[in-house]
Amino acid sequence: MTMDNLHSNLDPQMPIAFIGGGNMAKAIIAGLIQHGHNSKCILVCTPSQATRSNLVEQFDIRVHQDNSAAVGFADVLLLAVKPFVIPQVCEEIAPIIATRPNKKLVISIAAGVKHQTLSKKLDNLQRIICAMPNLPSAIGKGLTGMYAPAHSQQQDIDMADSIMTAIGDTVWVKDEQQMSTIVATAGSSPAYFFLFLEAMEKAAIEQGLPKQAANKAVLQSAMGAISMAIDSQHDLPTLRRHVTSPKGTTEQAILAFQHGELDELVANAMHSAAKRAKELSLG
């Protein structure tokens, strides 16, 4: 689903509540409002008076200090708190949700908290979807890994997708275990690219380019390459071959990467990230 389809399954008057008002919640709120959602149909519950005041000033939305207000207000609840806070939040809202069994859709963006864990803590609630947005979501260019169990209603899947496409694109996985791979591929990967670009910039400076010129050359080239990959009908190996002339400069660089076993290094790094994501999972 693309950004153009954002509200195909989402009524702009749909009451949506966030428990937690951190950066990711703010990013989703900004995306929703940008795409036409009524700000007065958005509520954020957070204990910090300063955060509540900032949210009202920035977005003109509703705020409350009590998490239970979210359940009474909204049809869709987004749990946007740190994983270690989830048990406390669930304890607060579970009794209220229990009086309205399966009348609420819960979307969790708490990293590593499993569907089964949430369902158990919310009195066996079935309407739960897990989402894992990455850092570029903060500027509307993110990738969110999404998981819904087989029993999920299509309307819930569509609604969750519409909300999360407010901050970028989505990828749905059929097996929740694959969410750890989403972490390695999308969640952690901005840092991989920053590290690679950092190494390129450092090498360019060591070869004589001024820092400003090196930075511009590296960033603009990266942006151009990504844009080409997104717009092209060719796959990544084909695009690479198009740039790599036999016995040319690029071929020498590619050979150096291959001799350094770049593929194995990347695979090991992603395996390490995925392994750690599984270790950090709750439940």
Side-chain angles (χ1 to χ4, degrees):
M1 181 174 290
T2 64
M3 295 277 284
D4 295 335
N5 302 122
L6 175 61
H7 282 284
S8 60
N9 300 295
L10 191 63
D11 180 350
Q13 305 301 321
M14 170 75 73
I16 300 174
F18 292 76
I19 295 180
N23 291 333
M24 198 55 69
K26 290 179 181 178
I28 300 172
I29 292 166
L32 288 170
I33 293 174
Q34 180 183 352
H35 289 86
H37 207 81
N38 185 346
S39 64
K40 293 303 183 182
C41 294
I42 298 174
L43 168 71
V44 176
C45 295
T46 177
S48 168
Q49 175 62 56
T51 300
R52 294 198 300 273
S53 298
N54 176 266
L55 287 166
V56 172
E57 181 179 354
Q58 187 173 357
F59 299 114
D60 191 29
I61 59 174
R62 300 173 184 269
V63 294
H64 203 285
Q65 64 181 8
D66 189 347
N67 290 334
S68 62
V71 185
F73 173 82
D75 294 330
V76 182
L77 305 176
L78 278 94
L79 305 184
V81 296
K82 299 294 185 183
F84 70 89
V85 183
I86 285 291
Q88 175 188 336
V89 168
C90 289
E91 184 177 348
E92 292 174 5
I93 66 175
I96 309 170
I97 289 180
T99 66
R100 306 169 176 84
N102 290 315
K103 296 295 184 182
K104 307 290 181 179
L105 171 62
V106 173
I107 302 171
S108 170
I109 61 172
V113 182
K114 293 182 178 179
H115 186 280
Q116 183 179 3
T117 300
L118 288 167
S119 180
K120 183 178 180 180
K121 291 184 179 296
L122 292 175
D123 198 30
N124 200 35
L125 180 69
Q126 297 302 300
R127 297 182 64 194
I128 299 174
I129 289 176
C130 296
M132 191 169 294
N134 66 358
L135 179 63
S137 298
I139 59 169
K141 296 184 180 296
L143 190 287
T144 301
M146 308 281 288
Y147 169 75
H151 66 253
S152 299
Q153 302 173 36
Q154 188 61 46
Q155 65 183 24
D156 287 347
I157 293 173
D158 291 342
M159 188 176 298
D161 199 272
S162 293
I163 290 172
M164 299 313 296
T165 50
I167 52 173
D169 212 339
T170 58
V171 170
W172 288 83
V173 298
K174 293 184 179 181
D175 182 350
E176 190 172 16
Q177 294 297 322
Q178 294 173 334
M179 289 293 269
S180 60
T181 304
I182 291 291
V183 172
T185 307
S188 299
S189 64
Y192 311 162
F193 294 113
F194 295 150
L195 179 64
F196 188 78
L197 295 175
E198 181 185 351
M200 287 183 62
E201 180 185 72
K202 181 179 178 181
I205 293 171
E206 288 176 349
Q207 292 182 31
L209 274 184
K211 179 176 176 57
Q212 185 175 1
N215 181 264
K216 183 176 182 179
V218 168
L219 294 183
Q220 182 62 40
S221 298
M223 184 170 65
I226 293 297
S227 297
M228 286 184 68
I230 291 173
D231 295 337
S232 177
Q233 299 298 314
H234 299 296
D235 61 16
L236 296 177
T238 301
L239 287 171
R240 173 174 55 79
R241 287 193 291 270
H242 285 173
V243 188
T244 310
S245 302
K247 299 182 180 180
T249 58
T250 307
E251 183 184 64
Q252 292 304 303
I254 295 297
L255 288 173
F257 283 133
Q258 291 174 339
H259 289 158
E261 299 181 335
L262 178 64
D263 284 359
E264 182 179 352
L265 184 62
V266 171
N268 288 338
M270 291 180 62
H271 174 75
S272 297
K275 180 182 178 182
R276 184 57 176 159
K278 291 178 180 177
E279 292 171 351
L280 292 174
S281 294
L282 300 183

